[in-house]
């Protein structure tokens, strides 16, 4: 155990020395960087670390990709369209590089963990300078250094995580809220999903590292944190001193100054009664749980390797709602998984109607080469899937609207996030339930938690007014 600490500490010091060295040559040149992030919150959080490293080296952020001397794409491969977007954008970067031959282009993230992608980039996108994956992003400074020293394309992809490197710089998007990784990787191998292949096996961070990171964030003005992992409910199982996710939340809850705790994502199969008790009693956990169910058909859930039935999912939801009647539930749903029949689909619609989700991310099944589902027979024809997808959206929209309307006239605590993008007399923020609300107010409210009375509702946002309690 001691050894792991020493290695990662040593590694982080080594990287900081390289950042320091690079900064001497980069700072004076006033070079600009631009990071584009594809995919989930995990990637968004990784991008904050990439930005931290780039700014430490002396690069200055720019919103305009065309102006950037260093462009990095943090990629996603969960569905085919995520990959197509990256290839499309890469093509147009070629012209930017013609105008600015000294610019550097780096690609990282989940797509890079696939051999086929690396060969494609070597063959067709020779203007890319640096390629690395999900396990070694902390090495960005070193990879830049190698690129500058050799003048050649640098490729550094690891099969697996070697160690968790703590204590690297990071640039937060919001000053008042932040994500915190509690674990990396996934062991579940749902048969449609590529994530376990590109993110490696489950590894939990030590509770003391998580807690000291959150304490630092709170001292720096953060009031809301989101604990991140592909399956937070299995947090801590493989640590030398095992601890449950529920216990971790209870410890985090003690941190003074921290107001709100959220987490993403919960796998229904591992959501324990102990966690439901914490959901019942916690003063800081938000009344929002994202609980992907993917399909309402027990037969398909089995083929997806999800390890719960329709009935078990509904029972879990019943227990959560009983523990916390004001809970907002959101979910992920896949339409058109191989072999999905009309009856299977109607089971999905049935779960949606019974649970009454506040919001849902719906996805058309996308074949991912290398996953078991890719070679399953009976892939569903596109027009059938599209028709089901549209029917599902109609049901979801209707329910989301009904749930929003239920909030009208109620008063809720809202964390104000930014000035409204369309109307600068308004500010926008989120309820504990994660509903978005717009109301009249000035930018001084940003980062504050204030009571807002809801005056009207649309399916996916609310309007309200700032009140005094
Ligand atoms: N670990 C999280 C989800 C990560 S991926 C969980 O298990 O809940 C986010 C979502 O993408 C998944 O919940 C699933 O709905 C969707 N997804 C994953 N692979 C997919 C595929 N091949 N086609 C379509 N949607 C997919
Ligand atoms: Fe993918 Fe399943 Fe792991 Fe989520 S739990 S990341 S859907 S394999
Ligand atoms: Fe996330 Fe996409 Fe990777 S969903 S974990 S960025 S494949």
């Amino acid at each position: 155990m001691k050894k792991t600490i020493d290695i990662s500490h040593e590694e982080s010091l080594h990287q900081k020395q390289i950042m320091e060295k690079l900064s001497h040559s980069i700072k004076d040149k006033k070079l600009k960087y631009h990071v584009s992030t594809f995919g989930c919150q995990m990637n968004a959080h990784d991008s904050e670390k990439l930005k931290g490293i780039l700014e430490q080296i002396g690069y200055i952020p720019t919103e305009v990709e065309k102006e950037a001397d260093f462009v990095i794409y943090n990629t996603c491969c969960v569905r085919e369209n995520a990959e197509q977007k990256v290839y499309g954008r890469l093509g147009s970067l070629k012209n930017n590089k013609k105008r600015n031959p000294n610019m550097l282009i780096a690609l990282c993230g989940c797509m890079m963990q696939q051999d086929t992608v690396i060969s494609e980039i070597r063959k067709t996108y020779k203007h890319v300078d640096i390629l690395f994956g999900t396990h070694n992003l902390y090495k960005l400074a070193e990879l830049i250094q190698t690129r500058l020293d050799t003048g050649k394309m640098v490729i550094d992809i690891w099969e697996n995580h070697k160690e968790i490197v703590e204590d690297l710089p990071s640039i937060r998007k919001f000053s008042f809220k932040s994500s915190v990784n509690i674990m990396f990787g996934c062991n579940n191998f749902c048969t449609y999903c590529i994530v376990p292949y590109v993110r490696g096996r489950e590894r939990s961070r030590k509770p003391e590292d998580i807690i000291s990171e959150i304490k630092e964030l709170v001292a720096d003005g953060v009031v809301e944190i989101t604990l991140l992992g592909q399956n937070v409910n299995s947090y801590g199982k493989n640590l030398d001193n095992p601890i449950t996710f529920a216990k971790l939340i209870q410890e985090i809850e003690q941190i003074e100054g921290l107001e709100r705790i959220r987490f993403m994502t919960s796998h229904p199969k591992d959501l324990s009664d102990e966690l439901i008790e914490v959901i019942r009693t916690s003063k800081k956990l938000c009344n929002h749980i994202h609980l992907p169910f993917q399909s309402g058909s027990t037969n398909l859930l089995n083929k997806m390797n999800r390890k719960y039935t329709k009935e078990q999912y509904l029972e879990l939801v019943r227990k959560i709602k009983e523990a916390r009647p004001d809970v907002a539930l959101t979910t992920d749903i896949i339409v058109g998984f191989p072999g999905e029949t009309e009856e299977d689909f109607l089971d999905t619609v049935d779960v949606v109607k019974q649970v009454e989700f506040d919001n849902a991310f719906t996805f058309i099944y996308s074949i991912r080469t290398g996953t078991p589902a890719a070679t399953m027979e009976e892939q569903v024809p596109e027009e059938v899937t599209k028709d089901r997808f549209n029917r599902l959206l109609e049901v979801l929209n209707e329910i989301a609207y009904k749930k929003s309307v239920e909030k009208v006239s109620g008063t809720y605590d809202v964390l104000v996030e930014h000035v409204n993008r369309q109307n600068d007399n308004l500010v926008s923020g989120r309820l504990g339930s994660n509903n978005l609300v717009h109301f009249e107010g000035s930018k001084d409210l940003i980062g504050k938690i204030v009571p807002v009375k809801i005056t009207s509702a649309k399916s996916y946002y609310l309007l309200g007014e700032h009140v005094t309690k």
Side-chain angles (χ1 to χ4, degrees), residues 82 137 365:
L137 62 87
Y365 169 70

Side-chain angles (χ1 to χ4, degrees), residues 56-253:
Q56 197 79 32
I57 294 174
Y59 281 100
I60 306 160
T62 170
E63 293 291 316
V64 189
E65 186 181 275
K66 275 197 180 132
E67 285 179 0
D69 304 282
F70 191 99
V71 170
I72 180 161
Y73 290 171
N74 190 6
T75 64
C76 169
C77 56
V78 78
R79 285 169 293 275
E80 195 188 348
N81 56 7
E83 295 197 332
Q84 290 313 331
K85 266 190 229 156
V86 169
Y87 284 128
R89 295 261 307 265
L90 261 187
S92 43
L93 272 188
K94 209 167 192 173
N95 292 326
N96 297 10
K97 199 155 186 173
K98 270 189 199 135
R99 274 197 314 273
N100 178 4
N102 289 327
M103 91 180 266
L104 292 178
I105 301 172
L107 298 176
C108 65
C110 296
M111 247 175 108
M112 301 306 126
Q113 294 295 135
Q114 303 170 96
D115 297 343
T116 47
V117 170
I118 300 299
S119 333
E120 178 66 17
I121 290 165
R122 292 176 86 151
K123 198 173 84 203
T124 322
Y125 301 91
K126 296 200 169 80
H127 55 297
V128 175
D129 299 282
I130 300 171
L131 300 174
F132 57 104
T134 55
H135 302 296
N136 54 347
L137 62 87
Y138 71 87
K139 279 182 71 182
L140 175 59
E142 189 174 340
L143 298 175
I144 295 176
Q145 179 78 67
T146 311
R147 171 66 183 76
L148 295 175
D149 291 348
T150 64
K152 293 200 179 109
M153 187 193 271
V154 176
I155 304 180
D156 192 9
I157 315 285
W158 298 359
E159 279 285 312
N160 266 310
H161 227 76
K162 294 182 186 156
E163 60 203 287
I164 297 176
V165 178
E166 299 283 350
D167 188 31
L168 281 168
S170 172
I171 303 289
R172 292 202 307 277
K173 185 169 171 204
F174 298 99
S175 58
F176 50 88
K177 70 169 190 176
S178 177
S179 300
V180 175
N181 289 117
I182 61 166
M183 59 199 299
F184 303 93
C186 179
N187 286 354
N188 292 306
F189 290 94
C190 302
T191 55
Y192 49 81
C193 186
I194 192 109
V195 171
Y197 303 87
V198 296
R199 286 273 170 178
R201 294 295 66 71
E202 247 171 52
R203 297 163 308 277
S204 296
R205 284 177 72 197
K206 292 191 210 72
E208 55 271 29
D209 287 335
I210 297 170
I211 285 164
S212 73
E213 179 180 345
I214 299 174
K215 281 186 177 160
E216 271 173 39
L217 288 168
V218 169
D220 198 31
V222 165
V223 291
E224 177 183 296
I225 52 147
T226 302
L227 305 173
L228 286 185
Q230 294 298 350
N231 175 15
V232 290
N233 298 327
S234 65
Y235 170 78
K237 286 186 182 153
N238 300 324
L239 284 170
D240 291 339
N241 298 313
I243 159 170
T244 61
F245 180 51
K247 290 252 157 45
L248 178 73
I249 294 180
Q250 284 171 312
E251 286 194 21
I252 293 173
E253 177 135 356

Side-chain angles (χ1 to χ4, degrees), residues 78-79 192-193 195 230-231 265-267 292 294 306 332-334 363-366 368:
V78 78
R79 285 169 293 275
Y192 49 81
C193 186
V195 171
Q230 294 298 350
N231 175 15
T265 293
S266 262
H267 194 307
Q294 315 296 1
R306 291 289 290 182
D332 292 350
I333 305 171
I334 297 177
F363 305 108
I364 287 183
Y365 169 70
S366 169
R368 302 286 69 208

